[in-house]
Amino acid sequence: MSDTTRRVSVNNVVFPVEGVAEVSSLYVDTGTGDGSQPGEAYEILGRRSVRVFAHKRISMGTFFNAFPASFWQRWTSVRDIHLRLKLEGEGLVSVYKSSSRGRSSAVASQHFVNETVEFDLPVRSFVDGGFYWFDLACAQADATLVEAEWSVEVDEEWRGGRATVGITTFNRASYCLNQVRTVAENAYVREALDRVVVVDQGTDLVQDQPGFAAIAEKLGDVLHLVRQPNFGGSGGFSRAMLESLASEKSDYVLLLDDDAISEPEAILRAVRFADFAVTPTIVGGGMLHLDERAVLYTQGEVWNARKSWMAASGDSEYDHDFVEDTLRETPELHRRLNADFNGWWMCLIPTEILRTIGLSLPVFLKFDDIEYSLRAARHGFPTVSLPGVAVWHLAWHDKDPTRTWEEYFIHRNRVITGLLHSDVSRGGYLPLHAFLGDLKLLFMLQYSTVRLRHQALADVFAGPSKLPGWLGTRQREVQQMRSAFVDARVVEDLSTLPPVRRSSRAFLGAVRRPTNPLSAIALALRVSFRQVIVRESPGSKEYPERVIPAPDITWWRFADIDSALVTAPDGIGVAWYQRDRKQMRRSLVRGAILSLRLALRWNDLSHRYRAELSDLVSPEAWQKILDHPAR
């Protein structure tokens, strides 16, 4: 390193200081297959420090502490990385690299005795995948890693970028405060921050929470509170984007969900990766489950233009458990996973991209993050879901948006995203999927959800110019629309309901779970005939015929009954689903007409939405929405 250069840290090796047992496998691997529990081979001393016990060995080949060399080679100008370790005691440090197949090999090692050890490593052989990491081994006595970091050599004049952190919240004040606290209590992250902007769209305000004053004092002028009506995630995050554009010091906006808890180091890593990217790049993070903290929901997702739907990138899987299989034991995660988009649970966007392509589409919630990255890609701006960058977020597995008002926004915004970014003729499989999705829900007697889906398509046909006016009103309207249906009414006191009693007759014998496509089609035809032709049993409206827990709700469980008590997704009560032959017929016909209309009008609608997109997403358009909200 010359006199005119210096090194800047891009990945600090870090350790958890809370909930250690739950998350230890994300930070340290002992290779014992027991989830890398502390106390057996090591002891965490602090945020940057760990003690390794005598005759023990630990590895940093983990989700948070392995260096993602492949991503740095592909997306940045960095071709050399420097590893520095400050060590106390005596032992051996060994540096490893992995290939895209997940095979590891030692590339350097050094015996240490109370010293700082350094390695210069090339970032030149990781095109398809691979990580760097190091192991520590002790002999007769304990040794301590005081700190370790991966750094890059830069010119003396180099200035790192700074980000506006934008957190949007609606009546999740305590969660949001925890997110702000995480940023406030990690001072070393402050070097990458310009401001922390909390966009509060609720009535349970963050500023009224116990402990807020102390956090606000710690952040000082860095913290900014913004109040506005509830415009959903797209409105809240667009406000944060506007705030970043208004600051001359912000090079990025970093979007964070209110119901998520960040790994603070991830904030610094995202900013530094973007600093060295060869082109302005959206840098996203993975999502770890807040209730199963070693489970990674996803590290990267891709968009299927034929279905207008998402899938896990490459050979990766959803809900990977690092306790069961560590990073070193999971070859598919050593591949460089390409991503078409990243969820806005944690996503960094350069302000240059904001100025070029605009802000979020005004769609309230759902698919705003997907649409934005797809739009950015059309302008040559990639999205990278960077390993080692993540938040803990409330999981999806206890949610079923198809049984809430959110299904309206999911369906509408999925179609709009397809119209804007799918170049497949007539929308590919999407119109057919829309109809089959209706049919599945009708089989499950979810007439309220199907009504919302039909309204969603009708609103798509109304055109893009309607979206801004609906931003502050549509949620309330669809909630009222759904409330008219019996399957939307949740009863919390089960003692007020009549007992379960079978009143309808099985049609063509008992029903079993279909085990192959042919049996599924045969059963679907049988259910269709029964629900369209056969009259409901009068007793089914007096007594529920079955109890179906929320995890077990599938279409075939309704094949031989006319009513059921179904547990609400949040578990607070049950809804009494009741078959309605007339409603089934009306919904089936309307769904077929709307889906056919979508296919026939796809090309014209696509042209219309694309032509008007820039008028919807510009900073000026959003400022107008925020200044004159529709009510």
Side-chain angles (χ1 to χ4, degrees), residues 41-285:
Y42 64 96
E43 177 187 4
I44 294 172
L45 303 178
R47 188 72 174 125
R48 303 284 304 278
S49 184
V50 63
R51 176 184 294 120
V52 185
F53 298 149
H55 306 291
K56 298 295 183 179
R57 182 185 186 99
I58 65 172
S59 174
M60 300 299 120
T62 57
F63 177 78
F64 276 125
N65 281 326
F67 178 75
S70 177
F71 287 78
W72 279 82
Q73 179 176 341
R74 171 62 180 87
W75 300 110
T76 78
S77 57
V78 172
R79 291 297 175 266
D80 295 282
I81 191 74
H82 183 80
L83 172 62
R84 183 184 69 87
L85 307 94
K86 184 177 181 181
L87 298 153
E88 295 178 351
E90 182 179 0
L92 178 71
V93 56
S94 301
V95 180
Y96 290 85
K97 64 175 290 188
S98 66
S99 69
S100 61
R101 294 180 174 87
R103 296 173 180 169
S104 61
S105 57
V107 295
S109 63
Q110 185 171 329
H111 180 263
F112 65 86
V113 181
N114 297 316
E115 61 185 302
T116 296
V117 177
E118 301 184 61
F119 300 93
D120 288 304
L121 303 165
V123 184
R124 293 185 177 86
S125 58
F126 300 93
V127 170
D128 292 329
F131 291 85
Y132 276 125
W133 67 84
F134 64 88
D135 289 4
L136 293 175
C138 294
Q140 304 301 321
D142 297 353
T144 299
L145 172 67
V146 179
E147 63 180 21
E149 66 177 10
W150 302 85
S151 61
V152 173
E153 186 174 344
V154 296
D155 293 335
E156 193 65 43
E157 300 80 21
W158 182 88
R159 182 189 71 86
R162 300 178 73 184
T164 289
V165 174
I167 307 172
T168 297
T169 187
F170 176 75
N171 291 344
R172 285 174 173 158
S174 60
Y175 284 104
C176 185
L177 186 63
N178 286 335
Q179 183 71 287
V180 177
R181 181 183 290 111
T182 300
V183 176
E185 293 181 349
N186 288 271
Y188 72 94
V189 177
R190 292 279 292 275
E191 67 181 81
L193 297 184
D194 177 15
R195 296 185 297 172
V196 176
V197 176
V198 176
V199 183
D200 200 332
Q201 304 185 124
T203 54
D204 180 15
L205 301 181
V206 176
Q207 65 191 43
D208 295 336
Q209 295 299 300
F212 172 80
I215 295 174
E217 182 179 0
K218 187 171 292 188
L219 285 173
D221 293 340
V222 172
L223 180 63
H224 294 257
L225 296 180
V226 178
R227 292 285 311 282
Q228 69 181 31
N230 183 21
F231 292 133
S234 69
F237 284 133
S238 287
R239 181 60 178 263
M241 293 174 182
L242 278 174
E243 294 291 327
S244 71
L245 290 174
S247 173
E248 295 181 356
K249 296 181 180 178
S250 281
D251 303 282
Y252 314 103
V253 60
L254 177 63
L255 307 179
L256 290 175
D257 261 353
D258 58 348
D259 55 351
I261 300 298
S262 300
E263 161 51 68
E265 171 67 18
I267 297 174
L268 190 61
R269 291 178 184 179
V271 171
R272 291 293 170 255
F273 186 86
D275 285 343
F276 290 98
V278 294
T279 189
T281 299
I282 298 173
V283 183

Side-chain angles (χ1 to χ4, degrees), residues 254 270 273-274 281-285 342 346-350 383-384 386 389:
L254 177 63
F273 186 86
T281 299
I282 298 173
V283 183
N342 199 96
M346 181 179 193
C347 192
L348 180 138
I349 305 172
T383 294
V384 175
L386 185 63
V389 173

Side-chain angles (χ1 to χ4, degrees), residues 13 29 37 63 109 112 132 139 146 173 185 200 217 237 248 297 385 397 402 411 430 435 438 562 584 613:
V13 173
D29 183 2
Q37 297 297 327
F63 177 78
S109 63
F112 65 86
Y132 276 125
V146 179
E185 293 181 349
D200 200 332
E217 182 179 0
F237 284 133
E248 295 181 356
Y297 170 68
S385 295
H397 43 239
T402 67
H411 198 49
L430 180 53
F435 177 70
D438 288 353
D562 289 339
M584 170 71 172
L613 177 62

Side-chain angles (χ1 to χ4, degrees), residues 384-406:
V384 175
S385 295
L386 185 63
V389 173
V391 295
W392 285 275
H393 191 284
L394 289 174
W396 317 135
H397 43 239
D398 287 332
K399 299 181 180 181
D400 186 355
T402 67
R403 294 200 283 146
T404 72
W405 54 268
E406 292 185 12

